[in-house]
PDB file of all heavy atoms in Angstrom:
ATOM      1  N   GLU X  74      -1.992 -22.507 -25.466  1.00 88.00           N
ATOM      2  CA  GLU X  74      -1.600 -23.845 -25.865  1.00 88.00           C
ATOM      3  C   GLU X  74      -1.358 -24.770 -24.675  1.00 88.00           C
ATOM      4  O   GLU X  74      -1.400 -25.993 -24.812  1.00 88.00           O
ATOM      5  CB  GLU X  74      -0.325 -23.770 -26.722  1.00 88.00           C
ATOM      6  CG  GLU X  74      -0.538 -23.186 -28.101  1.00 88.00           C
ATOM      7  CD  GLU X  74      -1.530 -24.014 -28.918  1.00 88.00           C
ATOM      8  OE1 GLU X  74      -1.431 -25.259 -28.913  1.00 88.00           O
ATOM      9  OE2 GLU X  74      -2.416 -23.394 -29.542  1.00 88.00           O
ATOM     10  N   GLU X  75      -1.113 -24.215 -23.494  1.00 91.00           N
ATOM     11  CA  GLU X  75      -0.847 -25.059 -22.336  1.00 91.00           C
ATOM     12  C   GLU X  75      -2.043 -25.942 -21.998  1.00 91.00           C
ATOM     13  O   GLU X  75      -1.891 -27.033 -21.447  1.00 91.00           O
ATOM     14  CB  GLU X  75      -0.480 -24.191 -21.120  1.00 91.00           C
ATOM     15  CG  GLU X  75       0.049 -24.981 -19.935  1.00 91.00           C
ATOM     16  CD  GLU X  75       1.298 -25.805 -20.276  1.00 91.00           C
ATOM     17  OE1 GLU X  75       2.097 -25.349 -21.132  1.00 91.00           O
ATOM     18  OE2 GLU X  75       1.464 -26.884 -19.687  1.00 91.00           O
ATOM     19  N   LEU X  76      -3.242 -25.493 -22.355  1.00 93.00           N
ATOM     20  CA  LEU X  76      -4.434 -26.301 -22.093  1.00 93.00           C
ATOM     21  C   LEU X  76      -4.473 -27.558 -22.954  1.00 93.00           C
ATOM     22  O   LEU X  76      -5.239 -28.484 -22.665  1.00 93.00           O
ATOM     23  CB  LEU X  76      -5.700 -25.467 -22.327  1.00 93.00           C
ATOM     24  CG  LEU X  76      -5.985 -24.407 -21.260  1.00 93.00           C
ATOM     25  CD1 LEU X  76      -7.150 -23.526 -21.683  1.00 93.00           C
ATOM     26  CD2 LEU X  76      -6.281 -25.066 -19.915  1.00 93.00           C
ATOM     27  N   THR X  77      -3.671 -27.601 -23.999  1.00 91.00           N
ATOM     28  CA  THR X  77      -3.629 -28.789 -24.857  1.00 91.00           C
ATOM     29  C   THR X  77      -2.448 -29.690 -24.511  1.00 91.00           C
ATOM     30  O   THR X  77      -2.199 -30.684 -25.199  1.00 91.00           O
ATOM     31  CB  THR X  77      -3.529 -28.373 -26.337  1.00 91.00           C
ATOM     32  OG1 THR X  77      -2.267 -27.735 -26.567  1.00 91.00           O
ATOM     33  CG2 THR X  77      -4.645 -27.419 -26.712  1.00 91.00           C
ATOM     34  N   SER X  78      -1.736 -29.365 -23.437  1.00 92.00           N
ATOM     35  CA  SER X  78      -0.562 -30.129 -23.047  1.00 92.00           C
ATOM     36  C   SER X  78      -0.945 -31.538 -22.589  1.00 92.00           C
ATOM     37  O   SER X  78      -1.782 -31.702 -21.695  1.00 92.00           O
ATOM     38  CB  SER X  78       0.161 -29.403 -21.908  1.00 92.00           C
ATOM     39  OG  SER X  78       1.024 -30.272 -21.214  1.00 92.00           O
ATOM     40  N   PRO X  79      -0.351 -32.593 -23.164  1.00 94.00           N
ATOM     41  CA  PRO X  79      -0.616 -33.952 -22.692  1.00 94.00           C
ATOM     42  C   PRO X  79      -0.253 -34.124 -21.221  1.00 94.00           C
ATOM     43  O   PRO X  79      -0.905 -34.891 -20.499  1.00 94.00           O
ATOM     44  CB  PRO X  79       0.268 -34.813 -23.595  1.00 94.00           C
ATOM     45  CG  PRO X  79       0.474 -33.991 -24.830  1.00 94.00           C
ATOM     46  CD  PRO X  79       0.521 -32.579 -24.351  1.00 94.00           C
ATOM     47  N   ARG X  80       0.755 -33.400 -20.766  1.00 94.00           N
ATOM     48  CA  ARG X  80       1.166 -33.490 -19.364  1.00 94.00           C
ATOM     49  C   ARG X  80       0.048 -33.007 -18.434  1.00 94.00           C
ATOM     50  O   ARG X  80      -0.208 -33.602 -17.392  1.00 94.00           O
ATOM     51  CB  ARG X  80       2.433 -32.655 -19.161  1.00 94.00           C
ATOM     52  CG  ARG X  80       3.052 -32.762 -17.779  1.00 94.00           C
ATOM     53  CD  ARG X  80       4.443 -32.150 -17.797  1.00 94.00           C
ATOM     54  NE  ARG X  80       4.404 -30.749 -18.187  1.00 94.00           N
ATOM     55  CZ  ARG X  80       4.319 -29.736 -17.310  1.00 94.00           C
ATOM     56  NH1 ARG X  80       4.272 -29.998 -16.018  1.00 94.00           N
ATOM     57  NH2 ARG X  80       4.311 -28.499 -17.732  1.00 94.00           N
ATOM     58  N   LEU X  81      -0.623 -31.919 -18.826  1.00 95.00           N
ATOM     59  CA  LEU X  81      -1.739 -31.417 -18.029  1.00 95.00           C
ATOM     60  C   LEU X  81      -2.887 -32.420 -18.032  1.00 95.00           C
ATOM     61  O   LEU X  81      -3.471 -32.721 -16.978  1.00 95.00           O
ATOM     62  CB  LEU X  81      -2.214 -30.073 -18.580  1.00 95.00           C
ATOM     63  CG  LEU X  81      -3.483 -29.500 -17.942  1.00 95.00           C
ATOM     64  CD1 LEU X  81      -3.274 -29.227 -16.460  1.00 95.00           C
ATOM     65  CD2 LEU X  81      -3.919 -28.223 -18.670  1.00 95.00           C
ATOM     66  N   ALA X  82      -3.214 -32.958 -19.194  1.00 94.00           N
ATOM     67  CA  ALA X  82      -4.305 -33.921 -19.279  1.00 94.00           C
ATOM     68  C   ALA X  82      -4.023 -35.146 -18.418  1.00 94.00           C
ATOM     69  O   ALA X  82      -4.921 -35.666 -17.736  1.00 94.00           O
ATOM     70  CB  ALA X  82      -4.533 -34.329 -20.735  1.00 94.00           C
ATOM     71  N   ARG X  83      -2.772 -35.621 -18.405  1.00 95.00           N
ATOM     72  CA  ARG X  83      -2.429 -36.783 -17.586  1.00 95.00           C
ATOM     73  C   ARG X  83      -2.573 -36.469 -16.100  1.00 95.00           C
ATOM     74  O   ARG X  83      -3.072 -37.297 -15.322  1.00 95.00           O
ATOM     75  CB  ARG X  83      -0.992 -37.228 -17.888  1.00 95.00           C
ATOM     76  CG  ARG X  83      -0.827 -37.966 -19.195  1.00 95.00           C
ATOM     77  CD  ARG X  83       0.515 -38.696 -19.256  1.00 95.00           C
ATOM     78  NE  ARG X  83       1.639 -37.762 -19.135  1.00 95.00           N
ATOM     79  CZ  ARG X  83       2.210 -37.156 -20.175  1.00 95.00           C
ATOM     80  NH1 ARG X  83       1.761 -37.389 -21.401  1.00 95.00           N
ATOM     81  NH2 ARG X  83       3.231 -36.339 -19.993  1.00 95.00           N
ATOM     82  N   ALA X  84      -2.139 -35.274 -15.699  1.00 95.00           N
ATOM     83  CA  ALA X  84      -2.227 -34.897 -14.289  1.00 95.00           C
ATOM     84  C   ALA X  84      -3.680 -34.828 -13.830  1.00 95.00           C
ATOM     85  O   ALA X  84      -4.021 -35.273 -12.720  1.00 95.00           O
ATOM     86  CB  ALA X  84      -1.540 -33.557 -14.060  1.00 95.00           C
TER      87      ALA X  84
END
Side-chain angles (χ1 to χ4, degrees):
E74 289 300 315
E75 190 58 33
L76 287 173
T77 66
S78 161
R80 186 168 59 93
L81 173 62
R83 284 195 300 271

